[in-house]
Amino acid sequence: MKKHFYLIVSCFVINISCNSDFDDKIDSQLMIGCDESNTEFQNIYNNILQDPNSYDDVSIDLEVHEITISLSSTKNICKIGYQSQHSNSTIPYTIEIFDNTNNQIVYSGSHLFSQLNTSYVTLNSPITLNANNSYSIRRIQNIISTDLSDLLGRYVFVNDLSNPGTTNILPATSGFLTIESSSSYSIGSTSNNQYLDSLVYIDIVFEN
């Protein structure tokens, strides 16, 4: 009888311990969020759109669309958001994260995105971006047909009617994120300073 009692008590204790460990894991996962709504990038993009002379457009038929950013605190990127403008939905884009401070690629992956709206891909492992370093986030499309529309992407710009094409909308900051610049260019081009007065849409989602 005593053996049965001790066995029951032992199982009860083990069960509590296992459940506690499981609950701790769940709580830990819930604490680390990866929320793609109301991101710092979206805040900056939408703030620019508040200008009555702003335009939210799909254009810029160049292979690389890029934003250069810096952070005031170290953060992990967990998702990337983009909308495909490609005529063939099965052709992926390359997403690249380049550490300008240390001159190295910290992430490169091939991803498909929805043609209907901005969709998000979850990175297999979060990518850590260090505070005060400079990083470039690139959307690269080098698999193209004869249709230049395959290179298009969403962007926003502000048109100064008194001096068209010269309005500087960057740098811009929201929370810990500063978008220093945005550019679009052809692979192998000696110049990567085209469309500097615009902001291309590549959403970055950081862990909470």
Side-chain angles (χ1 to χ4, degrees):
M1 186 70 179
K2 288 184 178 179
K3 289 183 179 180
H4 289 163
F5 174 77
Y6 290 138
L7 181 60
I8 292 172
V9 170
S10 297
C11 290
F12 179 72
V13 171
I14 291 171
N15 188 50
I16 290 177
S17 176
C18 290
N19 284 338
S20 176
D21 290 344
F22 179 76
D23 289 341
D24 288 343
K25 289 180 181 178
I26 294 296
D27 290 342
S28 176
Q29 290 171 356
L30 290 175
M31 287 174 63
I32 302 175
C34 191
D35 186 3
E36 61 203 44
S37 64
N38 197 35
T39 65
E40 302 296 353
F41 175 88
Q42 292 171 29
N43 289 338
I44 291 173
Y45 197 92
N46 292 332
N47 284 340
I48 296 171
L49 285 175
Q50 299 304 308
D51 190 304
N53 293 319
S54 66
Y55 293 85
D56 192 0
D57 199 6
V58 173
S59 186
I60 312 181
D61 54 349
L62 291 168
E63 293 164 292
V64 183
H65 290 193
E66 173 183 298
I67 58 175
T68 297
I69 67 171
S70 61
L71 308 178
S72 59
S73 57
T74 297
K75 296 285 184 178
N76 292 331
I77 293 181
C78 51
K79 291 182 182 180
I80 296 289
Y82 195 71
Q83 180 176 354
S84 172
Q85 304 297 332
H86 209 288
S87 57
N88 184 344
S89 61
T90 65
I91 294 180
Y93 293 86
T94 297
I95 298 296
E96 183 177 283
I97 303 174
F98 189 81
D99 183 341
N100 299 307
T101 302
N102 295 304
N103 195 34
Q104 62 181 4
I105 296 174
V106 294
Y107 178 79
S108 182
S110 181
H111 301 289
L112 294 172
F113 295 94
S114 170
Q115 294 172 304
L116 301 177
N117 47 42
T118 301
S119 59
Y120 292 82
V121 294
T122 301
L123 305 184
N124 290 333
S125 298
I127 305 300
T128 300
L129 303 191
N130 294 315
N132 303 317
N133 280 14
S134 170
Y135 295 92
S136 290
I137 318 294
R138 298 167 180 156
R139 171 291 257 162
I140 304 170
Q141 180 53 269
N142 56 2
I143 305 174
I144 60 174
S145 65
T146 56
D147 188 354
L148 290 179
S149 65
D150 292 342
L151 302 176
L152 300 181
R154 183 183 175 191
Y155 75 114
V156 62
F157 69 100
V158 175
N159 189 20
D160 181 354
L161 298 180
S162 63
N163 197 6
T166 61
T167 302
N168 294 320
I169 58 177
L170 301 174
T173 300
S174 176
F176 56 83
L177 172 68
T178 296
I179 301 179
E180 304 287 355
S181 64
S182 172
S183 60
S184 302
Y185 51 95
S186 297
I187 295 174
S189 171
T190 57
S191 173
N192 67 342
N193 62 353
Q194 300 183 58
Y195 297 94
L196 285 176
D197 56 338
S198 65
L199 171 59
V200 296
Y201 198 103
I202 308 172
D203 197 4
I204 319 161
V205 184
F206 294 91
E207 287 182 346
N208 296 335

